């Protein structure tokens, strides 16, 4: 049953005109530890609060790395697990390029298994270090992307093998409650375009612990064909939530409802028909019942929108891209919908930025969808980017994860310096790492984005990638629970 505007307005009035219906909220300001105001009425009070001493958050300043890879706080260290063109797979080929979305799983005999996306598109013969076409694991032999599985053993040994090959622009994705990885193609080329021999724009499932389960890859077409970014599974209700990274028009946040009596679990998706379940896009409205055309309209953290869900007419986009199947006023869009993570009973997801294509410009948002209340809450809003080279200003959030130490850890894909940074539940921010690997020149330095941020199952290791040239890192140190305020 849809959440009516009248019901939402009534609920919002009780909760404070839709300013904060769920959880604590915070805004990312322009300096570590800064706390921005939620609205004009509280701005004066918070400015006064900001002058008072606050409990320290984070781990202190980042120290330069003599090896020029990763700046970390004192007491932290990193280890390179895989490096494109340097480390090798079990089969002898080099580690593929363009590391992206990653998840970590508990493996047998104390191992950790990581599934690592490789975001490569276009003709395979133009890609340097594509994912090898391992026998039985190839979807389209013309495509260069895919996933590798990385095994980290208790004695420190590392092994890597192909999980899936022949896919295109494997960007983010998401882990499942039953221990598999859903890898997402951010590429909707049709067969015959860019040399492809099959249609792309799908989600595929990869099992890091069962190599046989990955044979004969099958696209999960019921999730739709579009430029996928990330996906999460609501284990309680069975829904999947997915993001689309696209513009002209801006992309969509999707919900997939499984068929009645379907039970999630290993191999379950392979039993479903291509049109199984129901794929829908959101139609949001504010506390006054007014339709919201784009999530960039929210300019204050704590903004809450009610959500109705609208059926997708043709999820396989046979003639018209999915996002273009909706007319003006039918659905709510957003620019650069990127990483997503399930936590706190809902889905956190990112809008990396909004520019001239959107109603309002911003340098990054993090939203929280609460399936029980059917609401979207703006948790994080990145302010104007003032110093791209500094450790205190962050922009372009991309992959995210919920931290076992409280709050979120965010991978930055913005201008200038690139960071991993944390955000507490109240919105205070702090740097965790800075990419020091210059892939530009001394005169015009350039630093690749971070991707695939995720913690080990025991919470002791933070894994992340430097996308170019493709390096998977393991960061350890004196992690601690971050203070809420």
């Amino acid at each position: 049953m849809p959440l009516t505007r009248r019901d939402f307005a009534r609920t919002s009035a009780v909760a404070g005109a839709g300013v904060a219906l769920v959880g604590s909220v915070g805004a990312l300001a322009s300096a570590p530890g800064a706390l921005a105001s939620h609205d004009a009425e509280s701005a004066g009070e918070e400015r006064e609060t900001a002058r008072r001493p606050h409990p320290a958050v984070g781990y202190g300043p980042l120290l330069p790395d003599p090896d020029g890879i990763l700046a970390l706080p004192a007491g932290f260290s990193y280890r390179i697990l895989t490096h494109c063109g340097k480390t090798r797979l079990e089969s002898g080929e080099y580690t593929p390029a363009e590391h992206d979305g990653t998840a970590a799983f508990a493996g047998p005999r104390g191992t950790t298994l990581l599934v690592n996306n490789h975001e490569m598109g276009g003709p395979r013969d133009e890609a340097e270090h594509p994912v090898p076409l391992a026998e039985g694991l190839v979807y389209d032999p013309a495509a260069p992307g895919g996933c590798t599985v990385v095994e980290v053993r208790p004695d420190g040994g590392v092994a890597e093998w192909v999980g899936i090959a022949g896919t295109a622009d494997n960007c983010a994705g998401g882990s499942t409650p039953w221990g598999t990885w859903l890898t997402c193609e951010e590429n909707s080329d049709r067969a015959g375009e860019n040399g492809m021999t099959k249609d792309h724009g799908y989600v595929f499932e990869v099992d890091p612990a069962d190599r046989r389960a990955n044979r004969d890859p099958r696209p999960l077409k019921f999730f739709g064909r579009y430029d996928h970014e990330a996906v999460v599974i609501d284990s309680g209700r069975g829904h999947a939530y997915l993001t689309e990274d696209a513009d002209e028009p801006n992309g969509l946040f999707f919900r997939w409802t499984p068929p009645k009596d379907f039970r999630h679990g290993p191999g379950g998706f392979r039993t479903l028909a291509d049109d199984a379940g129901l794929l829908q896009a959101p139609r949001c409205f504010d506390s006054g019942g007014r339709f919201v055309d784009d999530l960039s309209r929210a300019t204050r953290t704590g903004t809450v929108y009610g959500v109705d869900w609208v059926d997708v007419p043709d999820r396989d986009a046979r003639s018209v891209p999915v996002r273009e199947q909706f007319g003006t006023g039918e659905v709510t869009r957003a620019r650069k919908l990127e990483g997503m993570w399930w936590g706190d009973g809902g889905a956190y997801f990112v809008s990396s930025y909004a520019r001239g294509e959107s109603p309002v410009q911003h340098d990054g948002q993090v939203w929280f969808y609460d399936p029980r209340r059917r609401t979207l809450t703006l948790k994080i809003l990145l302010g104007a980017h003032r110093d791209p080279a500094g450790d205190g200003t962050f922009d372009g959030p991309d992959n995210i994860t919920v931290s076992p130490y409280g709050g979120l850890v965010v991978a930055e894909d913005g201008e200038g310096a690139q960071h991993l940074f944390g955000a507490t539940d109240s919105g205070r921010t702090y740097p965790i790492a800075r990419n020091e690997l210059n892939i530009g020149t001394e005169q015009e330095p350039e630093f690749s984005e971070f991707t695939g941020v995720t913690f080990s199952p025991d919470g002791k290791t933070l894994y992340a990638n430097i996308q170019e040239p493709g390096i998977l890192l393991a960061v350890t140190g004196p992690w601690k629970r971050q203070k809420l305020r």
Side-chain angles (χ1 to χ4, degrees):
M1 182 179 72
L3 178 66
T4 67
R5 293 168 179 77
R6 182 175 298 174
D7 291 341
F8 180 66
R10 186 184 302 116
T11 306
S12 298
V14 173
V19 171
L21 286 179
V22 292
S24 60
V25 294
L28 300 188
S30 59
L35 179 66
S37 62
H38 306 310
D39 51 46
E41 183 176 344
S42 63
E45 178 183 345
E46 290 190 351
R47 278 196 298 268
E48 178 60 32
T49 302
R51 296 189 186 99
R52 304 171 193 158
H54 288 289
V57 296
Y59 301 97
L62 303 181
L63 306 179
D65 177 12
D67 293 327
I69 303 291
L70 198 67
L72 293 167
F76 283 80
S77 62
Y78 70 89
R79 179 187 174 204
I80 294 176
L81 299 180
T82 69
H83 191 148
C84 174
K86 294 187 178 181
T87 56
R88 292 184 181 269
L89 308 183
E90 284 184 343
S91 51
E93 298 97 340
Y94 281 120
T95 293
E98 302 293 331
H99 295 33
D100 210 290
T102 306
F105 305 88
R109 299 177 296 280
T111 62
T112 296
L113 298 174
L114 298 123
V115 186
N116 197 192
N117 277 358
H118 297 277
E119 190 185 15
M120 288 176 281
R124 182 179 180 85
D125 58 8
E126 295 180 7
E128 186 176 6
H129 301 304
V131 177
L133 298 177
E135 190 271 328
L137 301 176
V138 180
Y139 170 65
D140 180 353
C147 298
T148 54
V149 179
V150 180
E151 180 185 66
V152 184
R153 298 163 183 154
D155 63 2
V158 175
E160 185 178 18
W161 60 86
V162 173
I164 188 174
T167 50
D169 288 297
N170 299 68
C171 199
S175 59
T176 68
W178 51 95
T180 63
W181 171 249
L182 298 174
T183 182
C184 294
E185 290 188 303
E186 191 189 338
N187 182 314
S188 48
D189 283 345
R190 285 286 198 188
E193 297 176 350
N194 288 317
M196 300 298 104
T197 65
K198 292 185 178 181
D199 291 346
H200 292 265
Y202 296 118
V203 178
F204 296 80
E205 187 170 23
V206 176
D207 191 329
D210 185 353
R211 302 194 195 197
R212 293 173 299 177
N214 300 326
R215 296 186 67 82
D216 302 318
R218 179 192 165 189
L220 307 181
K221 293 187 176 182
F222 45 83
F223 285 147
R225 195 184 72 82
Y226 47 89
D227 286 359
H228 285 271
E229 179 70 31
V231 56
V232 297
I233 303 292
D234 178 350
S235 59
R237 298 166 182 82
H239 294 111
Y241 295 94
L242 307 101
T243 51
E244 177 189 29
D245 183 0
D247 61 359
E248 296 182 352
N250 281 347
L252 297 169
F253 174 57
F254 294 96
R255 181 181 74 174
W256 177 78
T257 303
K260 185 179 179 181
D261 298 327
F262 173 72
R263 292 189 177 183
H264 285 295
F269 285 149
R270 282 185 176 247
T271 69
L272 294 178
D274 291 346
D275 60 352
L278 184 63
L279 187 67
Q280 298 173 303
R283 176 179 169 84
C284 299
F285 47 92
D286 65 16
S287 59
R290 294 174 292 269
F291 168 68
V292 179
D293 62 338
D294 195 282
L295 293 182
S296 67
R297 297 284 187 189
T299 58
R300 297 186 313 200
T301 55
T303 296
V304 178
Y305 294 143
V307 180
D308 279 340
W309 293 98
V310 182
D311 294 357
V312 171
D314 173 20
R315 73 181 84 184
D316 204 47
R318 287 181 289 269
S319 58
V320 178
V322 169
R323 69 185 183 283
E324 295 180 23
Q325 296 172 23
F326 298 98
T328 302
E330 292 188 304
V331 293
T332 301
R333 305 179 182 276
R335 181 74 169 100
K336 289 290 289 179
L337 291 175
E338 298 266 8
M340 184 161 46
W341 202 270
W342 185 265
D344 304 324
Y348 290 91
F349 68 91
V350 165
S351 170
S352 284
Y353 62 78
R355 297 293 183 259
E357 78 291 323
S358 303
V360 180
Q361 297 188 24
H362 62 72
D363 278 340
Q365 296 175 327
V366 177
W367 289 88
F368 179 79
Y369 178 70
D370 185 331
R372 185 170 67 88
R373 292 182 170 91
R374 285 177 289 171
T375 55
L376 274 174
T377 301
L378 181 59
K379 291 289 189 177
I380 291 171
L381 176 64
L382 288 168
H385 195 64
R386 288 183 279 187
D387 180 14
D391 286 333
T393 54
F394 309 116
D395 72 333
D398 197 315
N399 290 175
I400 61 171
T401 190
V402 174
S403 171
Y405 304 97
L408 301 171
V409 176
V410 183
E412 189 178 19
D413 178 17
E415 300 294 330
Q418 305 296 316
H419 298 86
L420 299 174
F421 66 92
T424 69
D425 292 338
S426 62
R428 297 191 181 281
T429 63
Y430 54 93
I432 296 174
R434 182 181 64 248
N435 177 10
E436 294 199 324
L437 182 59
N438 181 7
I439 57 174
T441 66
E442 185 176 350
Q443 293 72 28
E444 296 183 6
E446 180 182 353
F447 301 93
S448 174
E449 66 179 282
F450 279 108
T451 62
V453 59
T454 187
F455 277 92
S456 60
D458 64 8
K460 295 180 180 180
T461 304
L462 178 66
Y463 300 104
N465 307 299
I466 296 175
Q467 187 174 66
E468 189 177 346
I471 300 174
L472 172 58
L473 301 154
V475 178
T476 54
W479 302 109
K480 64 181 181 181
R481 179 159 293 279
Q482 296 299 317
K483 298 181 184 296
L484 296 182
R485 298 288 176 185

